[in-house]
Amino acid sequence: MNAFRIRYLRHELNLTEGEFMIGRSASCQISLDDPLVSRNHAKLILHANQLVVEDLGSRNGIRVNAERITKRTHPLAVGDRIGVGSQELIVLGPRAASTDAQVSRGAPTHRFDRFAVVGTLADKALAMGRVEEAERILGALLGDTLNEVQNGRIPVGIDQAGHYAAKLADATDKGAWVDYIVALYHGLLRPIPAEIVDELYTTLRKVGAIDLTRFGAYVDALRAAAADLSPAEKFLVSRVEGLERLARAR
């Protein structure tokens, strides 16, 4: 069981043994969109069930429970509030049935990219060849995103969800992730974005079985909605049609 979790707004990240960078940089595991936060502002270090925060020489420092820390590192306990720029992270204890990386359900906000933490962790896992770990990290968030679309909502990060599903399709050779992309954009009644289409033209040649019935229904729905699409979207529809033909010709 994980000893600590970090909550930021309505989002939570379970901490495992190791270091977690905090900053404005997209390479940080906890990436905060705040001009008062340095690119590499601080890091959390979890070792032997002891959690500390380390200031990496940031311009605006670190606050714990509203008090600026005066040493480079500071021990943390459950309930502590970590101030980074104008943002606040809360240290939580363990809970039953957790995963290595979670984002809680609830509406995303404009100040937090819900793929910022999970996506960064997955990218690192993929870069290290840990494909199953990346799939596990992304699974819950991608599933939540598709559920929201199928329930008539348009969550933040739709195209990021499609992008990461394409990455997983390429890394795992699973046709199910192509099916995910088709279901996602069918639910939106939108053509798959060009950059994802480009990835799929390569990926389709090597993945396993694809649900061609689902793919065909999606293409039919796009054709039926063509009158309401822009010229750029109609061009994308033609590229999606090409993808379907490629899928059927494999």
Side-chain angles (χ1 to χ4, degrees):
M1 180 182 296
N2 301 82
F4 294 98
R5 293 174 290 142
I6 293 293
R7 175 181 293 163
Y8 175 64
L9 300 177
R10 296 185 182 183
H11 308 263
E12 294 180 11
L13 171 69
N14 289 335
L15 298 182
T16 55
E17 190 91 356
E19 299 181 353
F20 296 80
M21 295 291 293
I22 303 172
R24 204 173 67 251
S25 171
S27 65
C28 292
Q29 285 98 335
I30 302 177
S31 181
L32 305 178
D33 182 14
D34 186 328
L36 297 178
V37 175
S38 301
R39 286 184 58 79
N40 295 292
H41 196 107
K43 64 181 173 182
L44 298 171
I45 305 169
L46 178 60
H47 177 66
N49 286 335
Q50 301 296 313
L51 182 65
V52 301
V53 63
E54 178 179 340
D55 188 349
L56 298 178
S58 61
R59 181 179 59 188
N60 294 310
I62 299 290
R63 302 178 309 281
V64 175
N65 300 324
E67 297 290 332
R68 183 160 179 165
I69 66 174
T70 57
K71 297 182 179 179
R72 184 178 177 86
T73 61
H74 187 90
L76 297 170
V78 172
D80 282 347
R81 296 175 177 268
I82 310 165
V84 185
S86 64
Q87 312 301 305
E88 185 175 76
L89 307 164
I90 303 173
V91 180
L92 303 177
R95 65 180 175 191
S98 63
T99 59
D100 287 345
Q102 290 186 351
V103 175
S104 66
R105 296 175 188 269
T109 76
H110 71 286
R111 300 202 68 181
F112 185 70
D113 175 354
R114 62 192 194 158
F115 280 90
V117 173
V118 174
T120 299
L121 291 173
D123 285 335
K124 290 180 182 296
L126 287 170
M128 297 172 68
R130 298 175 180 172
V131 176
E132 291 183 0
E133 180 181 344
E135 197 171 23
R136 187 180 71 251
I137 288 169
L138 287 164
L141 180 51
L142 292 177
D144 283 350
T145 301
L146 182 57
N147 286 337
E148 288 184 60
V149 169
Q150 292 176 335
N151 287 319
R153 296 188 293 273
I154 304 178
V156 171
I158 283 290
D159 292 338
Q160 285 175 293
H163 169 70
Y164 277 111
K167 278 192 168 187
L168 289 177
D170 182 66
T172 65
D173 293 343
K174 293 180 180 178
W177 287 115
V178 177
D179 295 339
Y180 174 94
I181 295 168
V182 169
L184 186 71
Y185 287 98
H186 192 176
L188 296 167
L189 201 54
R190 273 178 44 192
I192 299 169
E195 59 274 15
I196 298 176
V197 170
D198 290 340
E199 292 180 68
L200 290 180
Y201 265 105
T202 299
T203 302
L204 271 180
R205 302 177 189 278
K206 66 174 189 171
V207 296
I210 296 168
D211 188 338
L212 295 175
T213 301
R214 182 195 297 269
F215 210 152
Y218 169 51
V219 170
D220 288 344
L222 289 178
R223 288 170 179 156
D228 297 322
L229 299 178
S230 69
E233 288 174 321
K234 290 177 181 177
F235 174 71
L236 282 177
V237 170
S238 70
R239 297 201 66 203
V240 173
E241 290 173 331
L243 272 180
E244 186 208 11
R245 289 193 296 271
L246 177 60
R248 292 186 183 279
R250 294 187 312 146

